[in-house]
Amino acid sequence: MSDPNSRLSIEQIDRNFAEIHPPLTPDEALTESARCLYCFDAPCVRSCPTAIDIPGFIRHIMHRNPVGAAKTILDANIFGGSCARICPTEVLCEGACVDNTMLKQPVQIGRLQRFACDTAEPVSSSFYKAGESTGKRVAIIGAGPCGLTCAHELRKRGHAVSVFESREVAGGLNSLGIARYKLTTEFALSEVARVSEIGIDLHLEHAVDGAELAGMLADYDAVLLAVGLGKTASLNVPGENLDGVWESLDFIFQTHTLPLNQCKIGQNVLVIGGGNTAMDAANAAKMLGAQRVTIAYRRDAESMPAFKHEYELTQKEGIQFAWNAAPASIVERNGKAAGVLFEKTRSVGEGRRGKLEVVEGESFTLEADMVIKALGQDVLLDFLQSVPGLKLDDKGRIAVQPETHATSVAKLFAGGDCQAGAGEEVVIAVQSGKQSAAGIHALLQG
Amino acid sequence: MSESKATNGSAWPAVDLSIEFCGIKAPNPFWLASAPPTNSEYQIRRAFEAGWGGAVWKTLAHEPIVNVSSRYGAVDYDGRKVMGLNNIELITDRTLDVNLREIANIKRDFPNHALFVSLMVDSKRDVWHNIVKQAEDAGADGLELNFGCPHGMSERGMGAAVGQVPEYTKMIVEWVKEVARTPVMVKLTPNVTDVAAVGRAAKEGGADAISLINTINSIVGVDLDTFTPKPQVAGLGSHGGYCGPAVKPIALNMVSQIANDEGIRLPISGIGGIQAWQDAVEFMLLGSSSVQVCTAVMHYGFRIVEQLISGMSNWMREKNFHATTDFVGKSASRIRSWGDLDLNYKVVAQIDEQKCINCGLCYIACEDGCHQSIRIEPVPEQEFIARHPDHDQRVFESGCKSFVHGAGAGYVNSFTINQDTCVGCNMCSLVCPVRDCITMQPIPTGKESMSWKQYQDLLAEGKVAPIQPPTHA
Ligand SMILES: Cc1cc2nc3c(=O)[nH]c(=O)nc-3n(C[C@H](O)[C@H](O)[C@H](O)COP(=O)(O)OP(=O)(O)OC[C@H]3O[C@@H](n4cnc5c(N)ncnc54)[C@H](O)[C@@H]3O)c2cc1C
Ligand SMILES: Cc1cc2nc3c(=O)[nH]c(=O)nc-3n(C[C@H](O)[C@H](O)[C@H](O)COP(=O)(O)O)c2cc1C
Ligand code: SF4
Ligand code: SF4
Ligand code: SF4
């Protein structure tokens, strides 16, 4: 691994990490807003997990009422500012927009949403007040987008809320895990502060374990589990713990917790995986100054789970790809990782469901001084299994009743990434937080 | 809006845009209206060099007037600027001498362009006689009497104060005709109940041509921060004159009223909201032989004449017209009173599902504003693609998943017309964003044509049963 300060100037690194969806100027926003047709039962709204009234807020912008636009957005999605920047709009609202058909280009909903939220920023925290106290108390475990949304919704309804977060900052992966070129840490944290202004009793660096949870279930009127997922899944190959092997979350976290020119980076970086996290990690590695970045995926290009627009971004950054490459072991040199030995694979059957076979005699090695594992996150199985009677699905995610988000344990609810059937986007976690709050509120009103 | 289409092969016939208006020749019918763009020799020179066929000099008076600041306000519409323009400016702010000298210069250098000079003076016979002589001596091809300015001048007994009273109009035209050697065109104000009555008065006074419309009385807006009207002058405002694209329909109606009035029958110069060649053609189809433009030039400059000339020429080629006289007035006689329209004629809307982008605008317009005659049907997205194989371009893949543009929550809304209840109002086809997607189809009713006037007679004679009201949702 090279000296972190050896190659790129901090100015260059900052330029590399410039936001990929920069803000619109007022004139751009007005012009773009006029493109929206104001569809009836709009496909974009139906494709937004939080069902933001998109034509409604865009019309507010067009009629020079950005505050009204922001209120419309935040009523449906209190993390609307983050979602504007990080949602995979290409497969959500913008992918559904009818202008794709008419003009081969959707209305830039995400950037308009950002414009509204940014413009209304000085007043938007005063949109919401805590409801009249009900005397009920709720504990929420995990201060990610799901937990904080649920807390905000419950406060609006007058319930007291305590949120327990094991990390030193709130916001969950939204504050630490999102690619830095999509969302700045400063913005993520300012949004968390704004959400918390409604009066949330927040306990940072407070990890809850099974025993404490049992106590909370007795003390509080309801408890929400919004703990997200755990570490990156392991490769299960020899050499995985060598110096120079990173897990993707730690690699990305450093771009939010360290000055960018102090982040650790190799010259020749190998990322293992084919999902969106792998794309994010590879882009960040390149932006930090790695000379060569390669993504190795065990299947072919068509079977890759990363979104097309995420893949396209790697092409702009000049990331290389090794397809049908399954890691067999980490190559060691001087006690450090020096590359990865891969087996060549071939798929028998259709697409991602096809069975993978090793092609004998075609193994190969790719050199690297930094190896990043990006296989997706494991569930927090130890913690979840320590809760007596908590039902999990076959993937270890918490089973809930879809309408209420109630788990198999009385008074215990679950939402966000840790919940069975949830997706893996902030906007889905937010919707999950709203639904959990509605479920909890119904119980408390009971 | 009509389009000039590419005509095929060798079909590129020459067309002649030149016109003769009251005996005055001009290279084309596109003239500048008397207004700021015709304020000076410098501007008119630039305009004629750019291709304008004629101009009406900014209204002259014996003494320059004094203007206020600010002067203009505009109406924007959802992102487009200056759909309508309003002004509280008056007539020329330059001395008569300077204007007359510059008129002479222009006529010397552009003998083949039409140059009218607009006039407005105190309602005194000798004062009118004097200015008419001076304008003609300077070389004006014709005179335009400004009886239209709705603000400022009218308070001094000029402009609209004359044009709103047929007797005054007739009287002043008579004074002018006593001395005029060139054609006299009277510019009418739209701020009257019956524009044809004023047109007839002008004719009776001896006018040789009519131009219309001047600007419409208006207040363009109020500033929501300062509470002052727009445009504001030291915190106050005044009603002004409205023009620009927004006024075209009002102007077209008035032009047709003049064109169709048996008692007038004079050449018409059409004015009001012309910005595209289609606008100009419409004015001419309703009876104008020349057209005048102000706001569009104030917005974009003289260069727009290139689009006007090209667009009209190509449309004429496509329609096989060789000269503008081939089409001037062609549609005027089709404007009738409502009572002459055929009650048994019927059209219904039809949606071309291949073109439809499923925005739902037609549906909500009909549902909330019209006759509840559009059906909405959520179709599962896979079934939708199966139904419309041409829509496969809407399907896209990302991250091993498939998505459909225009779908949401797994379905696409499909819209169809209930032609049994559709009254044929056009509204859906007006709001549909996709060209030619909703068309209005004539459907045979099997009934003889019957106007409302005929219907009244037949009803009285007991020869027809009363027409039943439409069925509503
Ligand atoms: C690398 C990466 C990139 C991503 N990029 C995007 C993107 O671009 N766009 C997008 O929409 N989504 C993205 N996501 C997904 C998104 O971040 C998650 O879906 C979302 O954050 C889930 O929210 P959550 O509240 O359920 O969980 P989290 O955000 O994971 O929050 C859970 C919180 O619970 C805390 N916690 C866990 N256990 C305990 C405990 N025992 N006691 C107390 N606290 C605890 C955790 O510290 C954490 O702060 C990305 C995810 C990753 C990993
Ligand atoms: C700022 C301004 C000043 C005008 N001054 C005169 C004038 O002096 N004499 C006149 O006859 N009409 C005047 N008009 C009216 C125009 O000649 C024309 O009739 C009217 O603007 C409608 O045409 P348009 O829609 O193309 O602008 C003026 C219009 C504007 C906008
Ligand atoms: S689908 Fe597109 S055009 Fe229609 S309302 Fe949504 S953003 Fe506007
Ligand atoms: S023409 Fe009028 S009544 Fe008929 S479908 Fe369209 S909007 Fe409805
Ligand atoms: S307005 Fe036109 S495009 Fe939109 S749904 Fe109706 S027919 Fe289709």
Side-chain angles (χ1 to χ4, degrees):
Chain A
M1 201 141 331
S2 62
D3 166 12
N5 299 317
S6 69
R7 269 195 315 274
L8 299 183
S9 66
I10 181 67
E11 291 79 18
Q12 183 59 48
I13 299 180
D14 279 344
R15 273 199 295 279
N16 291 350
F17 275 88
E19 292 168 292
I20 48 173
H21 300 302
L24 294 170
T25 65
D27 277 337
E28 284 177 302
L30 280 178
T31 307
E32 188 65 14
S33 66
R35 286 187 55 210
C36 172
L37 298 172
Y38 199 61
C39 296
F40 173 76
D41 188 21
C44 56
V45 179
R46 305 201 309 262
S47 301
C48 170
T50 55
I52 293 173
D53 178 3
I54 292 163
F57 92 69
I58 294 180
R59 198 169 168 82
H60 281 312
I61 293 177
M62 182 169 74
H63 291 165
R64 297 174 192 241
N65 180 6
V67 173
K71 178 78 167 41
T72 303
I73 294 161
L74 298 175
D75 279 353
N77 180 340
I78 195 69
F79 280 90
S82 284
C83 286
R85 292 160 166 83
I86 67 171
C87 270
T89 53
E90 292 83 349
V91 296
L92 297 173
C93 54
E94 290 179 19
C97 175
V98 300
D99 260 354
N100 285 296
T101 308
M102 190 164 72
L103 302 174
K104 307 282 175 278
Q105 198 151 48
V107 174
Q108 297 182 61
I109 301 167
R111 295 180 76 197
L112 286 169
Q113 181 169 322
R114 173 176 179 172
F115 172 81
C117 293
D118 285 0
T119 310
E121 206 266 343
V123 292
S124 56
S125 59
S126 56
F127 288 166
Y128 305 103
K129 288 189 184 60
E132 200 178 319
S133 172
T134 60
K136 305 278 184 186
R137 297 162 62 242
V138 179
I140 293 179
I141 305 172
C146 175
L148 288 177
T149 301
C150 181
H152 192 262
E153 289 287 317
L154 290 171
R155 289 297 293 137
K156 283 199 277 186
R157 293 166 165 101
H159 309 304
V161 182
S162 298
V163 179
F164 301 89
E165 167 57 52
S166 54
R167 294 205 179 99
E168 61 277 18
V169 292
L173 285 182
N174 197 52
S175 298
L176 294 171
I178 308 292
R180 169 85 201 233
Y181 49 84
K182 294 181 191 163
L183 181 69
T184 65
T185 329
E186 297 71 39
F187 179 79
L189 294 178
S190 74
E191 189 170 54
V192 166
R194 206 155 49 241
V195 172
S196 307
E197 260 181 58
I198 196 163
I200 295 169
D201 171 36
L202 182 59
H203 302 258
L204 295 176
E205 298 183 82
H206 185 139
V208 175
D209 59 14
E212 193 181 5
L213 175 59
M216 285 176 171
L217 282 167
D219 286 354
Y220 287 86
D221 297 295
V223 179
L224 175 75
L225 285 175
V227 292
L229 297 170
K231 285 195 156 309
T232 306
S234 55
L235 299 170
N236 290 320
V237 299
E240 199 165 340
N241 297 322
L242 282 171
D243 195 10
V245 180
W246 283 68
E247 76 131 316
S248 54
L249 290 186
D250 289 338
F251 177 75
I252 292 169
F253 284 3
Q254 62 169 349
T255 63
H256 289 287
T257 55
L258 295 176
L260 287 172
N261 61 347
Q262 287 172 29
C263 291
K264 292 276 186 342
I265 185 62
Q267 301 253 11
N268 191 4
V269 177
L270 192 53
V271 180
I272 297 175
N276 296 317
T277 301
M279 310 296 130
D280 286 356
N283 289 331
K286 194 75 195 230
M287 292 171 185
L288 285 171
Q291 279 177 346
R292 184 188 170 89
V293 180
T294 309
I295 294 176
Y297 179 51
R298 62 202 178 108
R299 295 179 183 271
D300 60 10
E302 284 70 51
S303 318
M304 195 168 66
F307 290 128
K308 202 167 140 208
H309 60 271
E310 300 286 8
Y311 171 71
E312 281 162 3
L313 196 59
T314 65
Q315 297 307 288
K316 277 196 206 135
E317 290 294 326
I319 311 287
Q320 322 255 329
F321 275 78
W323 305 111
N324 290 101
S329 66
I330 311 293
V331 178
E332 185 207 315
R333 200 176 298 141
N334 306 327
K336 288 181 177 170
V340 177
L341 175 69
F342 291 99
E343 316 247 47
K344 187 92 194 150
T345 67
R346 150 176 82 211
S347 180
V348 185
E350 276 289 290
R352 280 184 76 191
R353 304 271 160 266
K355 201 170 117 34
L356 271 192
E357 279 179 359
V358 170
V359 186
E360 293 298 337
E362 289 200 23
S363 56
F364 60 98
T365 299
L366 293 177
E367 298 270 315
D369 57 355
M370 185 182 221
V371 177
I372 301 174
K373 305 183 283 181
L375 294 192
Q377 294 168 269
D378 281 333
V379 291
L380 292 164
L381 208 54
D382 289 350
F383 173 60
L384 300 183
Q385 284 179 339
S386 73
V387 185
L390 184 62
K391 265 222 202 109
L392 307 180
D393 72 358
D394 56 352
K395 294 187 185 116
R397 301 202 188 199
I398 305 164
V400 295
Q401 291 186 339
E403 313 82 57
T404 61
H405 282 234
T407 68
S408 55
V409 177
K411 287 164 58 177
L412 185 61
F413 293 74
D417 278 2
C418 65
Q419 162 233 318
E424 285 169 3
E425 266 104 42
V426 168
V427 64
I428 296 176
V430 168
Q431 181 63 9
S432 183
K434 279 162 62 185
Q435 288 167 337
S436 304
I440 292 170
H441 180 67
L443 172 78
L444 300 190
Q445 293 232 298
Chain B
M1 206 186 248
S2 169
E3 280 173 62
S4 89
K5 302 179 187 76
T7 39
N8 51 357
S10 58
W12 190 251
V15 291
D16 181 7
L17 288 186
S18 71
I19 61 164
E20 199 176 310
F21 189 93
C22 299
I24 299 164
K25 293 200 167 85
N28 64 51
F30 302 113
W31 297 1
L32 292 166
S34 171
T38 60
N39 204 35
S40 65
E41 174 185 348
Y42 170 76
Q43 287 164 293
I44 295 188
R45 191 174 287 281
R46 272 173 63 80
F48 285 172
E49 281 165 359
W52 291 87
V56 184
W57 202 278
K58 172 77 183 172
T59 306
L60 302 189
H62 282 107
E63 293 300 328
I65 55 76
V66 180
N67 270 313
V68 292
S69 137
S70 60
R71 305 175 194 178
Y72 307 150
V75 173
D76 300 340
Y77 179 66
D78 288 358
R80 293 296 291 201
K81 303 284 281 184
V82 194
M83 200 188 80
L85 179 73
N86 144 302
N87 82 88
I88 53 170
E89 208 168 77
L90 305 181
I91 56 177
T92 189
D93 57 2
R94 306 162 83 230
T95 64
L96 187 60
D97 281 353
V98 170
N99 277 312
L100 293 172
R101 195 175 339 117
E102 293 188 358
I103 289 167
N105 292 344
I106 288 288
K107 240 5 267 185
R108 181 192 64 219
D109 293 348
F110 297 93
N112 300 321
H113 286 65
L115 187 65
F116 275 72
V117 172
S118 171
L119 304 174
M120 183 200 288
V121 289
D122 282 338
S123 298
K124 297 192 182 108
R125 190 172 174 192
D126 56 329
V127 178
W128 273 102
H129 282 179
N130 177 285
I131 194 118
V132 165
K133 281 186 198 131
Q134 296 205 53
E136 290 188 340
D137 289 346
D141 295 317
L143 306 173
E144 185 181 79
L145 311 188
N146 179 354
F147 295 164
C149 185
H151 50 269
M153 304 315 290
S154 53
E155 291 156 18
R156 304 173 200 175
M158 294 180 253
V162 174
Q164 284 166 336
V165 184
E167 293 75 27
Y168 293 171
T169 301
K170 179 170 175 241
M171 177 179 75
I172 292 180
V173 176
E174 280 168 356
W175 291 344
V176 169
K177 285 299 286 184
E178 283 165 6
V179 292
R181 290 166 277 134
T182 62
V184 174
M185 174 155 75
V186 175
K187 183 166 179 179
L188 301 184
T189 171
N191 301 310
V192 292
T193 321
D194 181 6
V195 77
V198 190
R200 281 192 297 271
K203 162 98 176 200
E204 284 160 21
D208 301 290
I210 301 283
S211 56
L212 77 170
I213 60 173
N214 209 309
T215 54
I216 303 176
N217 264 334
S218 60
I219 286 177
V220 81
V222 179
D223 187 304
L224 302 188
D225 295 319
T226 60
F227 310 109
T228 54
K230 295 190 224 180
Q232 66 86 26
V233 180
L236 301 179
S238 185
H239 75 94
Y242 196 47
C243 50
V247 311
K248 185 186 80 170
I250 296 163
L252 284 179
N253 176 46
M254 293 191 163
V255 163
S256 80
Q257 285 179 302
I258 297 294
N260 286 333
D261 195 292
E262 299 286 346
I264 300 178
R265 296 286 178 251
L266 289 175
I268 299 170
S269 190
I271 320 169
I274 295 168
Q275 55 102 24
W277 64 266
Q278 289 93 337
D279 304 324
V281 170
E282 288 171 322
F283 272 90
M284 292 170 75
L285 285 171
L286 289 178
S288 312
S289 19
S290 77
V291 293
Q292 300 181 27
V293 180
C294 165
T295 303
V297 165
M298 292 183 70
H299 192 165
Y300 297 112
F302 297 127
R303 62 207 164 115
I304 63 164
V305 75
E306 290 171 37
Q307 283 75 42
L308 295 175
I309 289 174
S310 166
M312 185 181 284
S313 305
N314 288 335
W315 174 82
M316 285 169 66
R317 287 188 179 98
E318 184 201 318
K319 302 292 175 206
N320 241 330
F321 294 139
H322 306 292
T324 59
T325 45
D326 293 347
F327 64 91
V328 165
K330 207 173 165 55
S331 302
S333 64
R334 293 187 182 229
I335 309 273
R336 299 286 177 79
S337 86
W338 192 93
D340 290 332
L341 305 182
D342 181 3
L343 295 175
N344 284 335
Y345 177 77
K346 186 163 164 63
V347 292
V348 291
Q350 187 161 319
I351 294 175
D352 181 342
E353 286 199 65
Q354 297 304 321
K355 293 194 174 124
C356 173
I357 60 170
N358 313 87
C359 67
L361 288 176
C362 58
Y363 169 80
I364 197 61
C366 187
E367 194 67 12
D368 286 359
C370 304
H371 296 271
Q372 299 78 43
S373 296
I374 302 185
R375 303 181 200 96
I376 178 170
E377 179 201 2
V379 182
E381 60 186 40
Q382 293 316 320
E383 188 187 325
F384 179 82
I385 296 302
R387 266 198 219 174
H388 303 287
D390 291 7
H391 286 345
D392 60 354
Q393 292 153 343
R394 291 202 193 181
V395 181
F396 65 105
E397 310 270 330
S398 187
C400 298
K401 293 193 195 104
S402 164
F403 303 87
V404 177
H405 297 314
Y411 66 91
V412 178
N413 280 328
S414 164
F415 300 95
T416 46
I417 307 286
N418 178 353
Q419 297 191 334
D420 293 336
T421 57
C422 169
V423 302
C425 71
N426 280 356
M427 193 66 203
C428 54
S429 70
L430 300 178
V431 302
C432 177
V434 184
R435 71 163 64 196
D436 305 333
C437 173
I438 301 185
T439 47
M440 302 306 295
Q441 309 282 341
I443 51 165
T445 55
K447 295 179 195 152
E448 296 257 307
S449 142
M450 175 180 67
S451 71
W452 181 79
K453 287 174 187 160
Q454 292 166 330
Y455 176 49
Q456 296 308 300
D457 293 343
L458 292 170
L459 265 184
E461 294 165 26
K463 289 188 181 153
V464 287
I467 298 174
Q468 292 308 305
T471 41
H472 283 275

